[in-house]
Amino acid sequence: MDRFANPPTAPTTRTLTLAAPTVSSVSPASGPATGGTPVAVTGTGFTGATAVRFGTTMTTSFILDSDTHITTTAPAGTGTVQVTVTTPRGTSAQFVTYSYGPVTTPTLTSVIPASGPVTGGTTVTLTGTGLTGATAVRFGATAATSFTVVSNTEVTAVAPAGSGTVQVTVVTPGGTSNAVAYTYSVTPAPTLSSVNPVSGPTTGGTNVTLTGSGLTTATAVRFGTTATSFTVLSDTHISAVAPAGTGTVQVTVTTPGGTTNGIPYSYATTPVVSGVSPSQGSRSGGNTVTLTGTGLAGATAVTFGATPATSFTVVSPTQLTAVAPPGAAGLVDVTVTTPGGTSAHGTGTAYFYVDTPALTSAEPSSGPIAGGTAVTLTGAHLIEATAVHFGTTAASSFTSVSDTQLTAVAPPGNAGSVQVTVTTAGGTSNGVSYTYSAAPVLTALSPAQGPLSGGNTVTLTGTGLARTTAVMFGTVPAAFTVISDSHLTATPPPGPAGPVDVTVTTPGGTSPAVTYTRTPPPTI
């Protein structure tokens, strides 16, 4: 074999070509013709950038923040120009533009608040026009501690320390604005210690008492950024009406001495009850009911119809437990009240007060200790039965026939009487008597024999005979009279000569047999 039939090929040389940068956006996308506006350029492949141009004009400097972000300053220019980035791999080609507008001198119309403490630190809102691109905010000759351009019509600034009344101005590439007055007050800054209540509905309108110090000269009360109406009651108390809002906001008071610390106030949504479990109970109340829904935190009341719950506990914003108060038989709606309002009636809010069941009779009223007897219970309010007990033992089974009748199978029991009761959501009924009887026992017959024609009287001796329902001579019933629990008399029926089994039957069962012998008359 030729080892060199397929000689190795020469290695392939590959050249990696890197992509040119791309520009996807600039922010802001416009500025004054004089330039000077800080501009953020976003895109890809900026690493190694050597130039940033606005049209054909190269910026004097730029900062490469990352491979996707450059910060630069717009040069002077006119019209709309393309912004490009150049790297050793090329120049971006996307048509992302920057527009030069006419130079506009900024104007100020207001500063809120218009006063603050001499120590500075007050955040003020400046409103006006042409504020985009602001490069400085001054309180008199002193620069603001910091400032933020919110929009072309709003700037927020932190007042530096100062004294007296100074003129606030804003500087932009378009020039310096007119001045608005700001007064440094030697009045101590106000403080807040509490608001009451601390929450209310999103629709507003809640009367809130603010407690603190230095409140006499209050000029504004705000819930978050929203000013509201208020009444100064004293140097330590203000009554204010909460405006509409959402979430949790800070309540502040502004005086010439400054603005207070914030105290949180929460806007609560109207609670919703979607489930009540159990959904029924006794008219006497007292059972614990679990309510589920939303917005249940901060509950101030739970009512069953028009009656307040005996007590309630908030478990979570979606669950609380309440102890049902007494009520009249029938349906009521359960509602929850919070600072956000009161829940509505509807699906899932119903609770039914159920009448306590009552029993009038049990038929039969006795049976064997082995159980198994079907007993018909008669009374009222039985249809919702959840349990039937013979004494303390649950029935083997039961069936509600109607609101006035049910049948139950007696469980095994001990000889003697027990109380039968029925339990429903309305409670447990009165008891009716049911007697467990042991099976009867026969120990003797006297006489133990008699004529074929019957008709004679036989005394039966034994135990458990008081409730005798039948005396049988074989399969033929005999007339009988109960004398006591241990004696009865019976009249044997006619029958053929020979022995016959005699038994006694009671609700406790049938006795073991004893023998009675019919004898023919003597032969003459």
Side-chain angles (χ1 to χ4, degrees), residues 357-363 375-382 402-407 422 429-430 432:
L359 288 178
T360 55
S361 66
E363 181 61 38
V375 180
T376 298
L377 302 176
T378 303
H381 315 304
L382 308 180
S402 67
D403 200 43
T404 60
Q405 188 179 97
L406 62 76
T407 58
V422 174
S429 72
N430 59 298
V432 291

mmCIF file of all heavy atoms in Angstrom, residues 357-363 375-382 402-407 422 429-430 432:
data_model
loop_
_atom_site.group_PDB
_atom_site.id
_atom_site.type_symbol
_atom_site.label_atom_id
_atom_site.label_comp_id
_atom_site.label_asym_id
_atom_site.label_seq_id
_atom_site.Cartn_x
_atom_site.Cartn_y
_atom_site.Cartn_z
ATOM 1 N N PRO A 357 -82.149 21.532 65.465
ATOM 2 C CA PRO A 357 -83.093 20.428 65.237
ATOM 3 C C PRO A 357 -83.819 20.056 66.532
ATOM 4 O O PRO A 357 -83.330 20.308 67.640
ATOM 5 C CB PRO A 357 -82.184 19.291 64.762
ATOM 6 C CG PRO A 357 -80.843 19.608 65.349
ATOM 7 C CD PRO A 357 -80.741 21.101 65.348
ATOM 8 N N ALA A 358 -85.007 19.454 66.383
ATOM 9 C CA ALA A 358 -85.809 19.011 67.542
ATOM 10 C C ALA A 358 -86.377 17.629 67.241
ATOM 11 O O ALA A 358 -86.768 17.348 66.104
ATOM 12 C CB ALA A 358 -86.930 20.001 67.818
ATOM 13 N N LEU A 359 -86.401 16.755 68.238
ATOM 14 C CA LEU A 359 -86.956 15.411 68.085
ATOM 15 C C LEU A 359 -88.192 15.260 68.975
ATOM 16 O O LEU A 359 -88.233 15.773 70.099
ATOM 17 C CB LEU A 359 -85.926 14.347 68.470
ATOM 18 C CG LEU A 359 -84.753 14.140 67.514
ATOM 19 C CD1 LEU A 359 -83.806 13.078 68.060
ATOM 20 C CD2 LEU A 359 -85.241 13.749 66.128
ATOM 21 N N THR A 360 -89.187 14.534 68.448
ATOM 22 C CA THR A 360 -90.398 14.257 69.226
ATOM 23 C C THR A 360 -90.554 12.768 69.519
ATOM 24 O O THR A 360 -91.184 12.401 70.512
ATOM 25 C CB THR A 360 -91.646 14.766 68.487
ATOM 26 O OG1 THR A 360 -91.686 14.189 67.171
ATOM 27 C CG2 THR A 360 -91.619 16.279 68.372
ATOM 28 N N SER A 361 -90.001 11.884 68.658
ATOM 29 C CA SER A 361 -90.188 10.453 68.913
ATOM 30 C C SER A 361 -89.166 9.627 68.152
ATOM 31 O O SER A 361 -88.561 10.090 67.176
ATOM 32 C CB SER A 361 -91.598 10.006 68.486
ATOM 33 O OG SER A 361 -91.751 10.119 67.076
ATOM 34 N N ALA A 362 -88.986 8.382 68.646
ATOM 35 C CA ALA A 362 -88.182 7.364 67.976
ATOM 36 C C ALA A 362 -89.030 6.107 67.908
ATOM 37 O O ALA A 362 -89.591 5.665 68.918
ATOM 38 C CB ALA A 362 -86.894 7.102 68.748
ATOM 39 N N GLU A 363 -89.146 5.531 66.727
ATOM 40 C CA GLU A 363 -90.011 4.369 66.556
ATOM 41 C C GLU A 363 -89.307 3.321 65.683
ATOM 42 O O GLU A 363 -88.929 3.624 64.550
ATOM 43 C CB GLU A 363 -91.323 4.790 65.891
ATOM 44 C CG GLU A 363 -92.316 3.678 65.674
ATOM 45 C CD GLU A 363 -92.766 3.012 66.962
ATOM 46 O OE1 GLU A 363 -92.940 3.702 67.969
ATOM 47 O OE2 GLU A 363 -92.923 1.771 66.938
ATOM 48 N N VAL A 375 -84.557 2.705 62.945
ATOM 49 C CA VAL A 375 -85.372 3.546 63.822
ATOM 50 C C VAL A 375 -85.785 4.799 63.053
ATOM 51 O O VAL A 375 -84.954 5.465 62.432
ATOM 52 C CB VAL A 375 -84.587 3.938 65.084
ATOM 53 C CG1 VAL A 375 -85.438 4.825 65.991
ATOM 54 C CG2 VAL A 375 -84.104 2.696 65.818
ATOM 55 N N THR A 376 -87.076 5.097 63.077
ATOM 56 C CA THR A 376 -87.582 6.315 62.449
ATOM 57 C C THR A 376 -87.648 7.420 63.498
ATOM 58 O O THR A 376 -88.318 7.279 64.518
ATOM 59 C CB THR A 376 -88.966 6.090 61.837
ATOM 60 O OG1 THR A 376 -88.869 5.106 60.807
ATOM 61 C CG2 THR A 376 -89.502 7.380 61.240
ATOM 62 N N LEU A 377 -86.911 8.526 63.227
ATOM 63 C CA LEU A 377 -86.895 9.678 64.121
ATOM 64 C C LEU A 377 -87.771 10.766 63.528
ATOM 65 O O LEU A 377 -87.636 11.120 62.348
ATOM 66 C CB LEU A 377 -85.473 10.202 64.314
ATOM 67 C CG LEU A 377 -84.460 9.191 64.869
ATOM 68 C CD1 LEU A 377 -83.071 9.793 64.911
ATOM 69 C CD2 LEU A 377 -84.884 8.740 66.266
ATOM 70 N N THR A 378 -88.669 11.299 64.328
ATOM 71 C CA THR A 378 -89.596 12.341 63.890
ATOM 72 C C THR A 378 -89.331 13.613 64.675
ATOM 73 O O THR A 378 -89.040 13.563 65.874
ATOM 74 C CB THR A 378 -91.050 11.893 64.094
ATOM 75 O OG1 THR A 378 -91.257 10.666 63.386
ATOM 76 C CG2 THR A 378 -92.029 12.931 63.576
ATOM 77 N N GLY A 379 -89.422 14.766 64.000
ATOM 78 C CA GLY A 379 -89.196 16.033 64.685
ATOM 79 C C GLY A 379 -89.249 17.194 63.707
ATOM 80 O O GLY A 379 -90.113 17.224 62.822
ATOM 81 N N ALA A 380 -88.299 18.138 63.826
ATOM 82 C CA ALA A 380 -88.273 19.326 62.966
ATOM 83 C C ALA A 380 -86.822 19.720 62.690
ATOM 84 O O ALA A 380 -85.931 19.442 63.504
ATOM 85 C CB ALA A 380 -89.014 20.489 63.635
ATOM 86 N N HIS A 381 -86.601 20.325 61.503
ATOM 87 C CA HIS A 381 -85.276 20.821 61.082
ATOM 88 C C HIS A 381 -84.241 19.697 61.028
ATOM 89 O O HIS A 381 -83.108 19.849 61.488
ATOM 90 C CB HIS A 381 -84.787 21.937 62.017
ATOM 91 C CG HIS A 381 -85.833 22.959 62.349
ATOM 92 N ND1 HIS A 381 -86.509 23.653 61.372
ATOM 93 C CD2 HIS A 381 -86.331 23.391 63.554
ATOM 94 C CE1 HIS A 381 -87.374 24.476 61.952
ATOM 95 N NE2 HIS A 381 -87.297 24.331 63.269
ATOM 96 N N LEU A 382 -84.653 18.571 60.453
ATOM 97 C CA LEU A 382 -83.773 17.395 60.411
ATOM 98 C C LEU A 382 -83.075 17.215 59.069
ATOM 99 O O LEU A 382 -82.162 16.384 58.959
ATOM 100 C CB LEU A 382 -84.583 16.129 60.730
ATOM 101 C CG LEU A 382 -85.418 16.142 62.015
ATOM 102 C CD1 LEU A 382 -86.150 14.809 62.178
ATOM 103 C CD2 LEU A 382 -84.530 16.434 63.229
ATOM 104 N N SER A 402 -86.971 13.792 55.171
ATOM 105 C CA SER A 402 -87.557 15.117 54.977
ATOM 106 C C SER A 402 -87.081 15.985 56.122
ATOM 107 O O SER A 402 -86.267 15.552 56.958
ATOM 108 C CB SER A 402 -89.080 15.048 54.957
ATOM 109 O OG SER A 402 -89.572 14.676 56.244
ATOM 110 N N ASP A 403 -87.572 17.222 56.174
ATOM 111 C CA ASP A 403 -87.157 18.109 57.254
ATOM 112 C C ASP A 403 -87.743 17.677 58.586
ATOM 113 O O ASP A 403 -87.310 18.136 59.635
ATOM 114 C CB ASP A 403 -87.571 19.549 56.944
ATOM 115 C CG ASP A 403 -86.780 20.566 57.752
ATOM 116 O OD1 ASP A 403 -85.546 20.390 57.876
ATOM 117 O OD2 ASP A 403 -87.390 21.526 58.266
ATOM 118 N N THR A 404 -88.723 16.740 58.561
ATOM 119 C CA THR A 404 -89.370 16.297 59.805
ATOM 120 C C THR A 404 -89.106 14.833 60.117
ATOM 121 O O THR A 404 -89.607 14.327 61.121
ATOM 122 C CB THR A 404 -90.899 16.515 59.726
ATOM 123 O OG1 THR A 404 -91.418 15.761 58.616
ATOM 124 C CG2 THR A 404 -91.234 17.982 59.548
ATOM 125 N N GLN A 405 -88.359 14.132 59.269
ATOM 126 C CA GLN A 405 -88.174 12.700 59.511
ATOM 127 C C GLN A 405 -86.840 12.225 58.947
ATOM 128 O O GLN A 405 -86.409 12.651 57.881
ATOM 129 C CB GLN A 405 -89.318 11.912 58.871
ATOM 130 C CG GLN A 405 -89.322 10.418 59.219
ATOM 131 C CD GLN A 405 -90.489 9.700 58.574
ATOM 132 O OE1 GLN A 405 -90.361 9.101 57.519
ATOM 133 N NE2 GLN A 405 -91.659 9.794 59.209
ATOM 134 N N LEU A 406 -86.204 11.324 59.705
ATOM 135 C CA LEU A 406 -85.042 10.607 59.181
ATOM 136 C C LEU A 406 -85.047 9.206 59.758
ATOM 137 O O LEU A 406 -85.688 8.938 60.780
ATOM 138 C CB LEU A 406 -83.731 11.353 59.461
ATOM 139 C CG LEU A 406 -83.244 11.634 60.873
ATOM 140 C CD1 LEU A 406 -82.651 10.403 61.531
ATOM 141 C CD2 LEU A 406 -82.184 12.719 60.843
ATOM 142 N N THR A 407 -84.344 8.321 59.086
ATOM 143 C CA THR A 407 -84.213 6.945 59.583
ATOM 144 C C THR A 407 -82.748 6.714 59.917
ATOM 145 O O THR A 407 -81.855 7.189 59.218
ATOM 146 C CB THR A 407 -84.678 5.913 58.547
ATOM 147 O OG1 THR A 407 -83.915 6.056 57.345
ATOM 148 C CG2 THR A 407 -86.149 6.098 58.240
ATOM 149 N N VAL A 422 -79.868 14.278 67.194
ATOM 150 C CA VAL A 422 -79.526 14.597 65.800
ATOM 151 C C VAL A 422 -78.737 15.907 65.795
ATOM 152 O O VAL A 422 -79.115 16.870 66.470
ATOM 153 C CB VAL A 422 -80.792 14.752 64.940
ATOM 154 C CG1 VAL A 422 -80.430 15.224 63.528
ATOM 155 C CG2 VAL A 422 -81.548 13.428 64.877
ATOM 156 N N SER A 429 -79.919 18.397 68.721
ATOM 157 C CA SER A 429 -81.307 18.352 69.196
ATOM 158 C C SER A 429 -81.396 17.903 70.649
ATOM 159 O O SER A 429 -80.417 17.439 71.252
ATOM 160 C CB SER A 429 -82.114 17.387 68.323
ATOM 161 O OG SER A 429 -81.722 16.048 68.611
ATOM 162 N N ASN A 430 -82.621 17.999 71.182
ATOM 163 C CA ASN A 430 -82.952 17.337 72.431
ATOM 164 C C ASN A 430 -82.867 15.828 72.214
ATOM 165 O O ASN A 430 -82.807 15.348 71.077
ATOM 166 C CB ASN A 430 -84.370 17.711 72.857
ATOM 167 C CG ASN A 430 -85.398 17.318 71.788
ATOM 168 O OD1 ASN A 430 -85.338 17.836 70.663
ATOM 169 N ND2 ASN A 430 -86.306 16.422 72.110
ATOM 170 N N VAL A 432 -84.325 11.824 72.593
ATOM 171 C CA VAL A 432 -85.493 10.967 72.810
ATOM 172 C C VAL A 432 -84.965 9.588 73.209
ATOM 173 O O VAL A 432 -83.895 9.164 72.783
ATOM 174 C CB VAL A 432 -86.397 10.872 71.561
ATOM 175 C CG1 VAL A 432 -87.088 12.197 71.310
ATOM 176 C CG2 VAL A 432 -85.598 10.440 70.335
#
